[in-house]
Amino acid sequence: MSANTPVIELRNVDKSFGPIDVLHEISLKVRAGEVLCLLGDNGAGKSTLIKTLAGVHAPTRGEILVDGQPITFDGPRDAQDRGIATVHQFGGTYPLMSIGRNFFLGMEPTKGFGPFKVFDRAKANRIAVEEVQKMGITRITDGDRLVGGLSGGERQSLAIARAVYFGARVLILDEPTAALGVKQAAHVLRIVNEAKKRGLAVIFITHQVMHAMTVGDHFAVLIRGAIAADFRKGEKTREEITDLMAGGETMADLEASIEGYMETHEGHPPKVNTAD
Amino acid sequence: MATQTSSGSGGFSIGDLIRRPETGSLIGFIVVYVFFASLGGAVFLGAPGWSSWLNIAAEVGIIALPVGLLMISGEFDLSVGSVVPASSMTAALLCGHYGLPSIFGIAGGLTVGLAVGFVNGLIVTRTTIPSLIATIGTMFAVMGLTLGMAVLIKGSTSVSYVPDATTKALLGTFINGMFNVSIFWWIGFVAVYFFFLHFSPLGSWVFALGGDKESARNAGIPTNKLTISLFMASGFGAAFVGVAQVMTYQSAQVAGGQSFIFNSIMCVVIGGVLLTGGAGSVIGIVLGTMTFAVVNQGIFFAALDPNIGSIIIGALLLAAVLSNDSFRALAMNYASKKK
């Protein structure tokens, strides 16, 4: 495995739910230490794509490669074991649970033996606080505090810190900044950069072009379940990207042309030159 | 700031106490107990008083514990109301009618509870029917089946069975002629559920399930299995009470479990469990059950009109939900205020 092999790659992935085709021939690759920004409007198929990457859905056609090896995920847990972690919009955290329990959910540290294994609260709290502080959130000092008392940005950071701690190599961030204020969002973006510096492959899903431009190395625009544009940092201006995403003329043109193309090409979307 | 109380260092502070979700339930219990103690006098404070409300608390409590866990996980179980008579009828038919040893009756009754719970769990996890509706459905189905089977086999809506001495001693005796042995079973169940929810690693899963099912599933928690198991636990709890009733009263009736539906849910809510799931505690459920039982029995000792008891229970329920919300808000804000 060379250093240049993508950590995760999709090749011509289709996903259908019964008669409804949601994803069309998606090809993507992300390398270690790289941030791929996935841009797209609501209903573009972003969440289906995320769930396919996270092992929740199996692709109908096409293949997923991890470190260049084709694999099939047996479920979200399997994807996690292979180092693919997803952090959802609200952090996937539980407001009425303590920070320590949230951090270790599904991977609880235990002490004792046999049927009397107990949740090791002290250890969980200590590690959770340490890891979150490493990510630059110094306000969290007590692992017994409820997550509900944290700000949106802190919850995201907690979830990202959790993924990093559990050995994530691919971090899928589903609109982490969508519900946040400017300051909080900046915080999350710093943490995305921190994750990138640690050599994680990051897939960053967002609406906000500014946020995408701040951290992204590589961009893909998703429209109607197909990749409509794929380019690297610096290849398009902010205005062009905004136009693509936010439903300007370009967006309408693209939609029409994709639909027209698919009608005349047996449902295949147009080929897009993949930026490498 | 030197507020670093992490790493589970012990110690006691008012702040921590107020943040406990059980605080509201504890205050409620004390208020209610003092109220009835002042009206009921020495009899209520003595063994007769304690035994009468503890007997009620034990019966409801054995069902309220798993029902409460289900509510923490975001589901309701109303079918317990017909599982109680169904399991007691099963036990009475197997032993009283067919003359099998009591162990078969106990096993048969408990199996009925587990089976109904399993069906509930399957319906809730495999379909999109909300558990409230699904378990009303199974409640009526089980009620009809119980009546049908009893009439078909025995030709009557009540079946009697006189248990052997050991079974009677274990499940249906009154210690000192006052304290039902089920109080000890209740304490046992409390210990098991307390360990499961608050100490075992699986406890967090129940909270996560009720907090956000989708994220729990994404975190790798087997949500369907967990939901089905919790429904089976509540079926088991209801069946246990049903079987214990046969051993205590030596007969099984087709009807008569309906009161458990609302009573168990009230105990749980008074005990501070969030109706939408995600929060609650075993201690809270126990306190809620005790509060309910004190009101339920205190009325007779205080020589009040029984209808007043219903009014008090209703008011308590509303007060409990209100105070739970306030305590929860307090717990959430506590962290952010302490900058």
Side-chain angles (χ1 to χ4, degrees):
Chain A
M1 179 188 122
S2 79
N4 219 20
T5 313
V7 183
I8 190 162
E9 179 177 358
L10 297 188
R11 275 191 200 154
N12 293 321
V13 166
D14 287 355
K15 177 68 197 171
S16 316
F17 294 103
I20 303 157
D21 298 327
V22 183
L23 298 179
H24 307 279
E25 296 172 24
I26 302 279
S27 297
L28 286 175
K29 41 181 95 161
V30 199
R31 298 194 171 81
E34 193 182 71
V35 178
L36 167 71
C37 290
L38 206 56
L39 309 163
D41 208 354
N42 292 339
K46 282 179 302 185
S47 44
T48 309
L49 182 54
I50 297 162
K51 284 184 176 161
T52 310
L53 284 163
V56 178
H57 300 318
T60 312
R61 274 174 298 276
E63 53 184 1
I64 302 178
L65 292 91
V66 172
D67 296 327
Q69 301 295 316
I71 49 121
T72 342
F73 295 131
D74 292 332
R77 189 123 203 186
D78 186 31
Q80 264 176 32
D81 291 344
R82 290 170 194 271
I84 296 162
T86 316
V87 174
H88 294 279
Q89 189 170 347
F90 298 104
T93 50
Y94 310 89
L96 293 163
M97 252 166 119
S98 75
I99 290 167
R101 278 190 181 261
N102 255 292
F103 194 87
F104 282 94
L105 186 68
M107 326 240 184
E108 288 78 5
T110 54
K111 55 184 179 188
F113 25 7
F116 298 106
K117 277 209 182 76
V118 296
F119 176 74
D120 192 342
R121 183 172 132 257
K123 185 179 167 193
N125 287 355
R126 194 190 67 237
I127 295 175
V129 170
E130 272 174 21
E131 292 301 313
V132 176
Q133 294 213 338
K134 265 193 229 164
M135 282 289 178
I137 310 258
T138 45
R139 202 169 72 83
I140 297 175
T141 52
D142 181 359
D144 273 333
R145 290 279 159 79
L146 299 183
V147 167
L150 303 182
S151 72
E154 286 169 336
R155 288 195 210 183
Q156 285 288 339
S157 311
L158 174 67
I160 296 172
R162 173 180 193 273
V164 172
Y165 176 77
F166 286 109
R169 299 168 56 228
V170 181
L171 196 57
I172 304 171
L173 304 175
D174 184 4
E175 310 219 6
T177 56
L180 302 182
V182 178
K183 213 170 145 193
Q184 296 285 339
H187 206 119
V188 171
L189 292 176
R190 262 211 304 283
I191 287 168
V192 171
N193 263 329
E194 178 68 35
K196 179 176 146 181
K197 255 190 256 159
R198 294 190 186 192
L200 271 82
V202 182
I203 300 176
F204 184 63
I205 291 107
T206 186
H207 284 305
Q208 273 123 321
V209 185
M210 277 308 287
H211 295 166
M213 304 258 309
T214 316
V215 293
D217 299 303
H218 182 173
F219 305 82
V221 179
L222 202 62
I223 293 176
R224 304 215 167 187
I227 292 192
D230 187 323
F231 50 94
R232 294 197 72 82
K233 191 172 186 167
E235 287 178 9
K236 277 195 178 14
T237 64
R238 200 180 119 204
E239 285 70 28
E240 284 174 307
I241 306 175
T242 313
D243 233 19
L244 268 171
M245 283 173 63
E249 285 295 320
T250 331
M251 179 86 152
D253 288 351
L254 267 171
E255 278 189 20
S257 75
I258 287 179
E259 281 202 335
Y261 188 95
M262 277 165 60
E263 269 166 30
T264 51
H265 290 76
E266 296 163 339
H268 291 288
K271 279 274 166 277
V272 173
N273 294 326
T274 315
D276 259 311
Chain B
M1 248 183 107
T3 50
Q4 218 145 335
T5 54
S6 63
S7 316
S9 61
F12 177 84
S13 81
I14 299 292
D16 285 342
L17 184 71
I18 288 177
R19 281 193 298 151
R20 300 290 310 163
E22 301 87 4
T23 313
S25 322
L26 181 64
I27 295 171
F29 174 71
I30 293 171
V31 167
V32 164
Y33 189 80
V34 168
F35 175 75
F36 283 104
S38 64
L39 287 177
V43 190
F44 186 69
L45 289 168
W50 276 79
S51 69
S52 85
W53 69 262
L54 275 176
N55 289 347
I56 294 287
E59 254 192 350
V60 187
I62 290 172
I63 299 179
L65 282 167
V67 165
L69 255 66
L70 260 177
M71 276 169 67
I72 293 174
S73 83
E75 310 286 356
F76 286 96
D77 187 359
L78 303 189
S79 70
V80 291
S82 63
V83 170
V84 173
S87 61
S88 63
M89 188 51 78
T90 307
L93 281 174
L94 285 173
C95 304
H97 183 70
Y98 292 110
L100 293 170
S102 61
I103 185 75
F104 289 97
I106 295 169
L110 295 179
T111 309
V112 167
L114 289 171
V116 174
F118 183 70
V119 172
N120 283 333
L122 271 190
I123 296 175
V124 171
T125 52
R126 295 290 154 88
T127 70
T128 52
I129 304 174
S131 53
L132 187 75
I133 304 299
T135 55
I136 289 180
T138 48
M139 180 190 80
F140 277 97
V142 171
M143 206 196 305
L145 271 173
T146 311
L147 181 61
M149 294 299 275
V151 171
L152 192 73
I153 296 171
K154 188 74 183 177
S156 150
T157 56
S158 103
V159 180
S160 61
Y161 166 61
V162 182
D164 55 88
T166 323
T167 313
K168 175 91 182 157
L170 281 174
L171 286 169
T173 194
F174 286 93
I175 295 159
N176 258 348
M178 281 191 274
F179 293 91
N180 193 321
V181 72
S182 63
I183 296 168
F184 293 97
W185 285 103
W186 179 43
I187 294 170
F189 278 115
V190 168
V192 171
Y193 281 107
F194 186 72
F195 178 82
F196 171 75
L197 192 65
H198 300 295
F199 284 97
S200 89
L202 296 178
S204 305
W205 296 14
V206 178
F207 287 105
L209 193 60
D212 182 350
K213 196 179 224 158
E214 186 72 20
S215 298
R217 195 167 103 89
N218 288 334
I221 292 170
T223 51
N224 286 355
K225 257 191 218 162
L226 187 61
T227 305
I228 294 174
S229 312
L230 289 172
F231 270 110
M232 287 175 77
S234 93
F236 184 86
F240 188 91
V241 170
V243 170
Q245 279 187 344
V246 182
M247 306 309 168
T248 311
Y249 305 113
Q250 313 199 339
S251 93
Q253 312 289 332
V254 171
Q258 303 304 317
S259 63
F260 284 107
I261 302 172
F262 284 122
N263 292 356
S264 63
I265 293 178
M266 277 191 289
C267 294
V268 170
V269 173
I270 295 173
V273 172
L274 189 61
L275 274 161
T276 47
S281 75
V282 168
I283 300 292
I285 297 170
V286 170
L287 285 167
T289 308
M290 282 161 52
T291 310
F292 169 82
V294 164
V295 177
N296 191 290
Q297 293 301 299
I299 290 294
F300 301 111
F301 288 88
L304 292 171
D305 185 339
N307 293 328
I308 293 176
S310 301
I311 298 171
I312 295 177
I313 298 257
L316 261 180
L317 191 71
L318 298 179
V321 175
L322 269 177
S323 80
N324 291 342
D325 280 352
S326 325
F327 277 106
R328 200 162 289 120
L330 212 63
M332 296 249 254
N333 293 332
Y334 191 65
S336 42
K337 271 181 195 151
K338 244 183 152 179
K339 285 221 169 95

